[in-house]
Amino acid sequence: TQLLEQSPQFLSIQEGENLTVYCNSSSVFSSLQWYRQEPGEGPVLLVTVVTGGEVKKLKRLTFQFGDARKDSSLHITAAQPGDTGLYLCAGPIRNAGGTSYGKLTFGQGTILTVHP
Amino acid sequence: NAGVMQNPRHLVRRRGQEARLRCSPMKGHSHVYWYRQLPEEGLKFMVYLQKENIIDESGMPKERFSAEFPKEGPSILRIQQVVRGDSAAYFCASSPRTSAGQYFGPGTRLTVT
């Protein structure tokens, strides 16, 4: 079973601080995706990382895919109240026969609260 | 380019009734996925469809749940004889190909009373 574990589960910080969210697995993933979800809305795709060791930047957000493609991290620099939300990592899972079809397994999420 | 559309956004059903949830994928996307988010639980895969075909329904309960994606019109997730445990947020996502990121709709929040 390909599971994704996120840490921390909750993160409460002051505006301007930096933070890192981790997404770990014992399985290799062909890619990992990060989403942000606000209450009452659907997840919004932030980034897809595909290559081991890959680093992608999206303004103040930096995403890294582990060399072995078993883990990923999301680093936010100088957090702002608008960054508040649920952050989810997700990766495609395979059926017993090895086919994927792109269906995703999700981590439990990290609830980030940034206080002004 | 409009995003993934889902309706209704909120649906209240009494036990034993049927619930029909609709999803229109993004233009140009032929891959549709349904996920369920139960209270205090994460998002769980239910079913993957392409036009007129169910490709993978390994995450869908065997009874009372069905899905379709007809040649014309939206994808529909149908829940017959709903029970309180079906209360959840149901999300549809679409993708241009299986290896690409998925784009989610706003979800349908089903409440069974």
Side-chain angles (χ1 to χ4, degrees):
Chain A
T1 303
Q2 295 174 277
L3 295 175
L4 289 168
E5 294 186 5
Q6 283 186 242
S7 61
Q9 190 175 354
F10 300 96
L11 199 49
S12 180
I13 62 172
Q14 294 295 126
E15 182 176 2
E17 293 183 3
N18 301 331
L19 67 111
T20 302
V21 177
Y22 299 94
C23 177
N24 295 296
S25 177
S26 58
S27 304
V28 175
F29 282 86
S30 58
S31 65
L32 282 178
Q33 301 169 22
W34 284 92
Y35 293 83
R36 179 166 163 260
Q37 185 178 18
E38 296 194 42
E41 298 296 330
V44 175
L45 178 64
L46 297 175
V47 77
T48 301
V49 287
V50 179
T51 306
E54 181 178 6
V55 176
K56 282 192 173 179
K57 293 194 175 185
L58 186 65
K59 297 183 181 178
R60 293 177 293 100
L61 278 60
T62 301
F63 304 87
Q64 186 161 6
F65 200 11
D67 291 341
R69 292 186 288 134
K70 291 183 177 182
D71 55 88
S72 181
S73 63
L74 158 60
H75 182 80
I76 301 178
T77 304
Q80 299 176 2
D83 295 328
T84 293
L86 172 66
Y87 288 83
L88 296 160
C89 67
I93 50 177
R94 294 184 179 81
N95 293 329
T99 52
S100 174
Y101 303 126
K103 65 183 181 183
L104 298 174
T105 184
F106 283 81
Q108 288 294 93
T110 295
I111 298 174
L112 171 65
T113 304
V114 182
H115 301 279
Chain B
N1 188 12
V4 177
M5 299 174 68
Q6 288 188 251
N7 66 81
R9 292 290 304 270
H10 300 274
L11 183 61
V12 179
R13 286 286 179 266
R14 285 197 289 269
R15 278 181 297 171
Q17 291 185 319
E18 178 180 289
R20 293 173 71 89
L21 288 60
R22 295 174 185 77
C23 167
S24 296
M26 286 181 71
K27 187 177 180 180
H29 288 193
S30 59
H31 304 266
V32 168
Y33 304 82
W34 285 91
Y35 295 86
R36 177 165 65 174
Q37 190 171 39
L38 290 163
E40 307 304 320
E41 291 189 22
L43 281 153
K44 304 291 185 188
F45 166 79
M46 297 183 73
V47 61
Y48 159 54
L49 310 101
Q50 292 184 25
K51 280 289 187 183
E52 300 186 272
N53 289 299
I54 298 174
I55 307 299
D56 184 340
E57 55 183 349
S58 58
M60 202 148 71
K62 294 285 187 283
E63 297 178 353
R64 302 187 298 106
F65 285 72
S66 62
E68 62 179 24
F69 190 13
K71 187 176 181 181
E72 301 290 338
S75 175
I76 295 175
L77 180 67
R78 181 183 177 207
I79 311 172
Q80 295 178 289
Q81 300 175 333
V82 296
V83 300
R84 288 219 172 111
D86 297 332
S87 294
Y90 292 81
F91 292 98
C92 166
S94 73
S95 178
R97 56 189 181 278
T98 59
S99 59
Q102 295 179 16
Y103 295 83
F104 282 76
T108 294
R109 276 141 190 88
L110 172 66
T111 302
V112 179
T113 60

